[in-house]
Amino acid sequence: MVHAVDSLLDNPYFETLAYLSVAVLALIVFLYIFEVVTRYNCWEEIRKGNLAVAMATGGKIFGICNIFRFSIEAGDSVYESMIWAAFGFVLLLAAYFLFEFMTPVFRIDEEIEKDNKAVGFIAMILSVSLSYVIGAAVIF
């Protein structure tokens, strides 16, 4: 079975479909985990027009997908890309908690939930920027 799947991945169209499918599935799982660790309901807040939550969530989406991009660009297999994405997600999650810890004057989650666009923007930039650092490490 594994050999049959690997032979399908030799076709660039199937390979692209495989990378996309894995990335979308991982994105759903990782966003769910982010939803669990934040104090607010991301999708409910976005539905209400909370731009700070939308920026923070958009940064997470970009960050996760960017790590996949670097992994694919490095020539990693679909399996290796999944491992790098999971590792990168853990690092992004750790960075989120570190960001919360490093700002003791206010709670990041509370400010984002209150639609503090400045905090949402910084959270987005943090996710995007760190995804480039994580991704650069994937290439080696």
Side-chain angles (χ1 to χ4, degrees):
M1 179 68 174
V2 173
H3 180 64
V5 171
D6 287 340
S7 67
L8 278 176
L9 292 176
D10 288 337
N11 180 310
Y13 298 108
F14 285 116
E15 183 180 39
T16 300
L17 184 60
Y19 281 117
L20 180 64
S21 300
V22 166
V24 168
L25 181 61
L27 189 59
I28 291 168
V29 169
F30 297 155
L31 285 176
Y32 173 78
I33 294 170
F34 268 124
E35 182 81 26
V36 169
V37 300
T38 56
R39 297 173 205 248
Y40 51 85
N41 183 321
C42 294
W43 302 110
E44 179 62 27
E45 290 296 319
I46 290 170
R47 188 188 65 72
K48 292 191 298 189
N50 187 326
L51 186 58
V53 172
M55 287 189 292
T57 303
K60 294 168 189 168
I61 291 169
F62 183 91
I64 293 164
C65 290
N66 197 37
I67 293 167
F68 266 107
R69 178 190 76 87
F70 274 100
S71 181
I72 293 166
E73 208 171 60
D76 290 344
S77 70
V78 172
Y79 312 112
E80 291 169 318
S81 292
M82 289 186 323
I83 292 168
W84 275 115
F87 182 65
F89 166 74
V90 168
L91 292 176
L92 286 176
L93 191 61
Y96 181 80
F97 288 125
L98 186 61
F99 180 40
E100 183 80 58
F101 177 74
M102 298 298 289
T103 53
V105 288
F106 58 85
R107 306 278 310 161
I108 300 300
D109 278 354
E110 290 173 10
E111 293 299 315
I112 290 175
E113 185 176 21
K114 288 191 257 182
D115 201 15
N116 183 331
K117 291 166 191 58
V119 176
F121 181 74
I122 292 297
M124 177 184 73
I125 294 300
L126 183 69
S127 293
V128 169
S129 301
L130 289 177
S131 76
Y132 277 96
V133 173
I134 295 165
V138 168
I139 292 176
F140 296 105

